[in-house]
């Protein structure tokens, strides 16, 4: 993909001789297991470390680059002045895997730096275990709701194995780059031929076979068919706070659902804070909002989420307060004054219409459309058109359909203060109507149903 940066009326920045090049390298082998994820992260860190001195002059000259990883593979970015950006791209992609294929020593295969980076990764993972309970709750929610997602403990366990060495890493890198699908975006003051040449540079450097579409083990979102509850102790037992996230999943997908869920979140934000923070004084962190979850292919799976962190009440109490608020808010939606509803719509419309202020803003927005495989270049217009006819009655109907605790919800409770979650008997005595989820791993092995990773193919005419 290519977009020329040029000056036109209403644009908020002046075109400069700059370019941004972004490439996503899809490879299921990069994150298929905790071990694969650890090895991929070790490689990206080691590679970045190795090329720091090599690319120092380029960075002084106003260029930057990065190699990242995610659940679908790896990403390469290069940005800055366009005069030498293509040379930097060649410099950082040529050594990626060529040395392994030609069986020559790789600059990045430095035993001393490898052990140092392993130790740095171990410390970073240990520090993640000390994150705030609310961060733990949101992380666990994402791990439960996504097809691939690994706990900190599973990553630490994989990292601790004795066979995590340079030889194993080299074999993993060859596997990751054996079959790939590359998608790129070049944005800036360069012609289309520059973009094509940049893509050719990456593809040639990787030297990989094309990854067939039916072999792309893409990220997907769990489709909830009941109310479920997962409770766990905080990995930092000395933390004095508890936290919950209560998530209600919308049953359908599409831009209309996205707009309605976002508007519902905007409408609930202030009364949620007022009730749970100001009146009930549960804690300093209280939030009600829409909660979109995105797999590899569109559309997003949207929903509504309540997040609370508190040192005063345990997760059972926080969950009950959240449910009481959601039930009352949903019942009373139709009593909202028309002028208040229109004010919420107007505020959301203003957010939708916010213009890009820099080239980086535009790059990020367009790259988001590409990585989400949505390619909705006119998404702002689509969102406006979906919002304009939305009525209070329609939002209330969506809320009644979505905010159904026993039909399609997921709650994560995180216990601090060295407390352990209650047993099943205690939960049942409290009148709990949701299914108890005891192990994320067992839940994924079932496996649960997932929303389709891509739109269903149209039947031939």
């Amino acid at each position: 993909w290519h977009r020329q940066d040029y000056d036109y009326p209403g644009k908020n920045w002046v075109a400069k001789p700059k370019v941004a090049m972004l490439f996503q390298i899809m490879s299921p082998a990069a994150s298929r297991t905790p071990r694969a994820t650890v090895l991929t992260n070790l490689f990206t860190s080691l590679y970045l470390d190795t090329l720091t001195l090599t690319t120092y002059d380029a960075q002084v000259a106003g260029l930057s680059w990065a190699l990242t990883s995610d659940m679908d593979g790896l990403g390469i970015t290069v940005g800055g002045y366009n005069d030498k950006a293509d040379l930097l791209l060649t410099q950082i992609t040529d050594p990626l895997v060529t040395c392994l294929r030609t069986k020559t020593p790789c600059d990045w295969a430095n035993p001393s730096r490898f052990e140092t980076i392993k130790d740095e990764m171990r410390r970073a993972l240990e520090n993640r275990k000390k994150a705030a309970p609310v961060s733990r709750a949101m992380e666990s929610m994402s791990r439960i709701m996504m097809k691939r997602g690994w706990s900190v403990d599973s990553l630490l366990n994989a990292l601790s194995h004795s066979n995590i060495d340079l030889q194993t890493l080299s074999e993993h890198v060859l596997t990751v780059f054996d079959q790939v699908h590359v998608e790129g975006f070049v944005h800036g003051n360069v012609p289309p031929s520059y973009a094509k040449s940049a893509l050719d540079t990456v593809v040639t450097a990787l030297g990989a076979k094309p990854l067939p579409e039916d072999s792309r083990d893409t990220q997907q979102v769990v489709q909830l068919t009941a109310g479920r509850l997962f409770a766990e102790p905080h990995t930092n037992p000395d933390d004095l706070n508890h936290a919950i996230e209560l998530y209600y999943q919308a049953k359908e997908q599409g831009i209309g659902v996205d707009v309605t869920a976002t508007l519902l979140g905007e409408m609930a934000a202030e009364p949620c804070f007022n009730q749970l923070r100001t009146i009930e004084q549960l804690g300093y962190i209280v939030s009600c909002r829409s909660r979109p979850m995105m797999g590899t292919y569109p559309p997003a799976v949207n929903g509504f989420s309540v997040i609370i962190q508190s040192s005063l009440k345990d997760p059972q109490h926080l969950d009950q307060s959240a449910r009481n608020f959601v039930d009352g808010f949903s019942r009373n939606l139709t009593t909202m004054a028309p002028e208040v509803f229109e004010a919420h719509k107007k505020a959301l419309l203003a957010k939708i219409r916010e213009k890009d202020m820099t080239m980086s803003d535009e790059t990020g927005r367009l790259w988001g459309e590409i990585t989400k495989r949505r390619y909705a270049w006119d998404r702002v217009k689509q969102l406006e058109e979906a919002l304009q006819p939305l009525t209070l009655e329609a939002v209330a109907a969506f809320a009644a359909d979505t905010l159904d605790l026993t039909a399609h919800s997921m709650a994560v409770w995180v216990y601090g203060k060295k407390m352990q979650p209650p047993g099943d008997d205690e939960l049942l005595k409290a009148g709990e109507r949701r299914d108890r989820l005891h192990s994320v791993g067992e839940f994924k092995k079932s496996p649960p149903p997932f929303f389709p990773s891509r739109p269903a193919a149209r039947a031939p005419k």
Side-chain angles (χ1 to χ4, degrees):
W1 300 94
H2 167 262
R3 177 170 173 80
Q4 179 86 33
D5 185 36
Y6 61 94
D7 293 324
Y8 54 86
K11 186 179 169 207
N12 289 317
W13 68 94
V14 176
K16 296 179 180 179
K18 290 191 173 185
V19 66
M21 295 183 279
L22 307 96
F23 300 92
Q24 186 180 55
I25 305 167
M26 185 182 290
S27 173
S31 62
R32 193 165 278 154
T33 63
R35 180 177 181 272
T37 303
V38 162
L39 287 168
T40 300
N41 289 338
L42 281 172
F43 172 67
T44 57
S45 297
L46 189 59
Y47 195 78
L48 284 165
D49 179 79
T50 302
L51 290 187
T52 297
L53 289 177
T54 306
T55 59
Y56 174 77
D57 289 341
Q59 294 180 47
V60 171
L63 293 168
S64 63
W65 73 282
L67 177 67
T68 58
S69 62
D70 60 29
M71 282 300 165
D72 281 326
L74 295 98
I76 296 173
T77 61
V78 172
Y81 291 102
N82 57 23
D83 183 39
K84 302 294 184 182
D86 55 341
L87 297 180
L88 178 60
L89 180 64
T90 300
Q91 187 177 28
I92 66 171
T93 55
D94 272 354
L96 270 170
V97 72
T98 304
C99 56
L100 293 175
R101 294 215 170 95
T102 58
K103 298 184 179 180
T104 56
C106 294
D107 290 340
W108 52 263
N110 183 315
S112 173
R113 293 304 300 158
F114 177 75
E115 292 301 324
T116 300
I117 286 170
K118 265 184 72 175
D119 188 55
E120 290 173 351
M121 180 179 291
R122 185 180 297 107
R123 291 201 303 269
L125 289 171
E126 290 288 356
N127 286 336
R128 273 177 60 185
K129 295 175 70 172
K130 299 176 184 178
V134 68
S135 299
R136 172 77 177 190
M138 296 171 66
E139 183 179 289
S140 293
M141 179 66 75
S142 296
R143 180 162 52 94
I144 293 168
M145 293 301 300
M146 305 305 291
K147 183 178 180 179
R148 286 193 305 281
W150 318 117
S151 69
V152 173
D153 287 331
S154 67
L155 295 174
L156 278 168
N157 180 59
L159 185 62
S160 68
H161 286 188
S162 59
N163 66 347
I164 300 296
D165 52 27
L166 276 174
Q167 178 61 35
T168 303
L169 181 60
S170 297
E171 294 169 357
H172 174 72
V173 171
L174 280 173
T175 302
V176 168
F177 291 120
D178 181 53
Q179 285 187 311
V180 301
H181 172 72
V182 181
E183 191 156 9
F185 176 44
V186 176
H187 180 209
N189 205 345
V190 293
S193 59
Y194 188 103
K196 186 178 184 304
S197 176
L199 179 61
D200 289 342
T201 296
V202 175
V203 171
T204 301
L206 297 180
K209 297 186 289 289
L211 180 67
E213 188 166 358
D214 58 4
S215 297
R216 299 171 194 172
D217 183 19
T218 51
Q219 185 70 295
Q220 293 175 264
V221 181
V222 169
Q223 186 172 24
L224 296 174
T225 56
R228 295 182 181 273
L229 163 65
F230 177 67
E232 62 180 346
H234 188 21
T235 45
N236 179 13
D238 296 327
D239 200 299
L240 300 179
N241 292 288
H242 308 291
I244 69 157
E245 179 173 9
L246 176 59
Y247 167 71
Y248 299 84
Q249 187 177 70
K251 292 193 292 187
E252 298 179 351
Q253 299 167 277
I255 196 161
V257 174
D258 291 345
V259 168
T260 310
T262 303
L263 182 57
L264 180 66
E266 296 284 336
M267 294 164 66
E270 189 277 330
C272 168
F273 188 88
N274 183 58
Q275 176 62 37
L276 302 180
R277 170 69 185 92
T278 306
I279 297 176
E280 298 186 34
Q281 297 187 355
L282 295 179
Y284 286 103
I285 299 178
V286 172
S287 169
C288 290
R289 61 182 186 181
S290 65
R291 176 76 142 96
M293 296 187 181
M294 177 64 71
T296 302
Y297 288 91
V301 179
N302 227 308
F304 181 85
S305 181
V306 183
I307 298 169
I308 309 173
Q309 178 172 293
S310 173
S311 61
L312 304 175
K313 301 293 183 180
D314 67 23
Q316 278 184 279
H317 186 106
L318 299 179
D319 185 86
Q320 185 63 59
S321 292
R323 286 153 49 191
N324 289 343
F325 167 77
V326 169
D327 291 345
F329 177 75
S330 179
R331 283 195 307 270
N332 297 323
L333 254 182
T334 53
T335 64
M336 178 177 285
E339 60 272 17
V340 175
F341 175 70
E342 290 301 323
H344 283 297
K345 280 184 66 175
K346 186 177 180 180
L348 180 56
L349 185 61
K351 287 184 179 181
I352 292 171
R353 287 176 171 172
E354 286 180 356
K355 291 185 176 182
D356 300 321
M357 299 304 295
T358 65
M359 190 182 105
S360 294
D361 291 343
E362 187 175 56
T363 301
R365 176 175 58 82
L366 296 175
W367 182 236
E369 293 297 324
I370 294 167
T371 56
K372 294 168 186 172
R373 275 81 186 170
R374 200 163 54 196
Y375 311 113
W377 317 123
D378 63 340
R379 184 164 174 82
V380 170
K381 181 181 178 182
Q382 292 181 26
L383 291 169
E384 288 182 17
E385 292 174 349
L387 177 63
Q388 296 285 10
L390 206 54
T391 64
L392 179 59
E393 290 73 22
V395 176
F398 172 80
D401 192 44
T402 301
L403 305 179
D404 188 335
L405 186 74
T406 58
H408 34 79
S409 73
M410 177 68 74
V412 173
W413 298 357
V414 176
Y415 282 80
K417 301 184 178 181
K418 300 182 180 179
M419 291 178 62
Q420 292 293 320
D424 290 350
D425 291 343
E426 186 177 342
L427 278 179
L428 290 173
K429 286 179 183 177
E432 182 57 60
R433 297 176 294 149
R434 291 167 288 184
D435 298 332
R436 178 77 176 269
L437 188 65
H438 292 95
S439 166
V440 177
E442 291 301 316
F443 176 63
K444 295 290 185 69
K445 286 179 183 177
S446 306
F450 294 96
F451 280 92
S453 60
R454 58 180 63 89
R458 294 182 181 180
K461 294 183 180 180

